[in-house]
């Protein structure tokens, strides 16, 4: 399996992430907005990591599937951790008391195992889809 040297659409994703980050700072804390920023940040970080570490390399099918599954699991874990980080950051930036309730913080913590499992399965599934598309060419 040949991994592209450059991740397609990464510049556009990065521009969207920066724009959303700038917009995200101003309004009061809304949980879905923090989760979205955590997910976008994770996507950008993982895409740059994959491009830097594996870009342009040829890997065996097993390594490809394992890599996509692990990347998906990392997406789930890092989305949760970065969401918590951005929740704390927003509370610190606005400095007028908590932006998020303890229930919202606990909800994010409770979702992390689910997000990790879904990321693992999604990563493995996307890896299989790409393999199927490559075989047809």
């Amino acid at each position: 399996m040949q991994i592209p040297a450059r991740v397609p659409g990464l510049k556009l994703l990065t521009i969207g992430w920066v724009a959303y980050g700038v917009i995200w700072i101003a309004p009061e804390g809304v949980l879905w907005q923090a989760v979205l920023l955590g997910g976008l940040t994770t996507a950008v970080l993982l895409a740059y990591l994959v491009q830097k570490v594996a870009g342009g390399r040829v890997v065996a099918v097993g390594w490809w599937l394992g890599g996509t599954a692990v990347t998906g699991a990392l997406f789930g874990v890092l989305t949760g951790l970065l969401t918590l980080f951005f929740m704390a950051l927003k509370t610190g930036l606005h400095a007028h008391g908590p932006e998020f309730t303890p229930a919202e913080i606990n909800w994010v913590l409770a979702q992390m195992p689910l997000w990790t499992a879904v990321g693992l399965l999604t990563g493995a599934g996307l890896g299989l889809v790409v393999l199927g598309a490559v075989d047809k060419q």
Side-chain angles (χ1 to χ4, degrees):
M1 175 71 199
Q2 172 76 38
I3 299 174
R6 296 196 167 270
V7 174
L10 185 53
K11 281 186 181 182
L12 187 60
L13 179 64
T14 303
I15 291 168
W17 169 68
V18 169
Y20 183 74
V22 169
I23 293 167
W24 171 82
I25 290 174
E28 294 298 315
V30 177
L31 183 58
W32 72 266
Q33 293 172 347
V35 172
L36 180 60
L37 185 60
L40 284 172
T41 303
T42 301
V44 169
L45 289 174
L46 287 177
Y48 275 109
L49 179 67
V50 166
Q51 184 172 282
K52 178 79 172 166
V53 172
R57 294 189 180 187
V58 176
V59 296
V61 171
W63 280 101
W64 168 255
L65 290 176
T68 57
V70 168
T71 301
L74 281 172
F75 184 84
V77 170
L78 291 175
T79 295
L81 292 174
L82 286 171
T83 297
L84 292 170
F85 169 76
F86 289 127
M87 291 167 80
L89 180 68
K90 181 154 248 186
T91 298
L93 286 175
H94 286 193
H96 60 69
E99 294 274 328
F100 300 95
T101 66
E104 290 172 323
I105 295 167
N106 288 330
W107 182 84
V108 172
L109 287 168
Q111 298 310 304
M112 285 176 59
L114 174 64
W115 292 347
T116 303
V118 169
L120 178 96
L121 294 172
T122 302
L126 287 174
L128 288 169
V129 167
V130 169
L131 277 177
V134 168
D135 284 344
K136 288 184 177 181
Q137 290 180 350

